[in-house]
Amino acid sequence: MPKFLRIGVHQSNVSGYTSKAWCVRRVGSTVFLKWGAVEVHGVGDGRKVFWTIPPRDKAIRCRTVQLAKDYAKAAIARRRNHRYEPLAGNIATRRRTADRDAELKQALATILFVDIVQSTQKAARLGDSRWTQVMNHYYAAVRRELKTLRGKEVVTTGDGVLATFGKPAAGVRCAAAIREAVRTLGLEIRVGLHAGEYKVGGADVVGLAFHIGARVAAKARPGEVLVSSAVKDLMSQSGIRFKDRGIHQLKGVPKRWRLYRVEH
């Protein structure tokens, strides 16, 4: 499986930074993509790469094997052209010792996941230089709204942002504010919010709640803010209106979840 690590946000001789990784794999007429935020430790042959949160994945089902080969070839070429370098070896899931787990403290928050719609296509159309400028403005807009509504940025995943809020209403209002702010940049986003428990220790955060937030966002349509039933149930007195979007199976997440769209 070809793997690619984002460059331009790190130096190859520096250890201990976050970046973004992509994996591309073809099986017959299907192309499997996997991507997400990673931590990089060590340099040279001793470098190790770990997923910081569970990666996102997507299956592209092509009609023929040749179409799948062409799609995979183009996907690999885009990675090479968009400031990525080939990455050898596995991307591991960090295993924690019992002592490290004991140090983590339980926390409860509303989790927000923002993702740009069709970012790869937009990057290819604009080119590296212009896309870098747009992304700089995008992150500035996101962080401005997070600061205004007291959100805490947890990690960025290339074109996605994961953040937490103490109050669900603040998270929902921040999602709407980010959506309007980035539209001035010609960008459309999808947003997912979930409320749940996770463990935190220093800069480390772990928990299924983050995975659920990302999967809720994946179900959102362009420009849509979706919340899980856990968020809606906490907001009965908020005055914010929701529309039922039905029950969904979130990939890799136990049981089925009822999702709601935030009404304008």
Side-chain angles (χ1 to χ4, degrees), residues 76-140:
I76 291 170
R78 284 196 297 272
R79 300 290 85 73
R80 292 182 185 274
N81 290 337
H82 292 168
R83 301 185 65 79
Y84 282 79
E85 63 177 347
L87 176 64
N90 294 325
I91 303 175
T93 300
R94 186 181 295 281
R95 288 186 170 86
R96 301 177 182 275
T97 64
D99 289 342
R100 178 61 183 139
D101 283 338
E103 295 175 9
L104 297 176
K105 296 180 180 179
Q106 201 79 9
L108 173 66
T110 296
I111 294 155
L112 173 145
F113 192 91
V114 179
D115 189 34
I116 297 176
V117 176
Q118 296 184 334
S119 60
T120 301
Q121 294 90 324
K122 287 182 171 63
R125 186 174 69 252
L126 294 176
D128 288 347
S129 179
R130 177 57 182 153
W131 182 245
T132 298
Q133 293 177 357
V134 170
M135 289 301 292
N136 287 339
H137 289 305
Y138 163 74
Y139 281 118

Side-chain angles (χ1 to χ4, degrees), residues 40-54:
V40 183
H41 295 276
V43 298
D45 294 338
R47 183 171 65 178
K48 295 184 179 180
V49 182
F50 301 91
W51 296 113
T52 59
I53 59 174

Side-chain angles (χ1 to χ4, degrees), residues 149-180:
L149 287 154
R150 299 184 179 181
K152 180 181 179 182
E153 180 180 329
V154 176
V155 69
T156 60
T157 59
D159 54 23
V161 177
L162 183 66
T164 60
F165 292 83
K167 297 180 180 179
V172 171
R173 292 190 175 98
C174 187
I178 292 172
R179 178 182 59 198
E180 299 309 314

Side-chain angles (χ1 to χ4, degrees), residues 178-244:
I178 292 172
R179 178 182 59 198
E180 299 309 314
V182 302
R183 279 176 174 166
T184 64
L185 303 173
L187 300 176
E188 197 69 85
I189 60 171
R190 57 173 65 90
V191 186
L193 293 107
H194 174 64
E197 291 185 331
Y198 61 96
K199 291 184 177 180
V200 59
D204 293 333
V205 291
V206 294
L208 181 61
F210 290 107
H211 194 43
I212 295 173
R215 292 307 188 192
V216 172
K219 292 290 184 180
R221 301 174 181 131
E224 194 171 47
V225 178
L226 283 187
V227 306
S228 68
S229 55
V231 173
K232 180 180 179 295
D233 291 346
L234 292 171
M235 298 182 62
S236 59
Q237 305 298 320
S238 68
I240 296 174
R241 295 183 296 114
F242 299 92
K243 183 174 181 179
D244 193 336

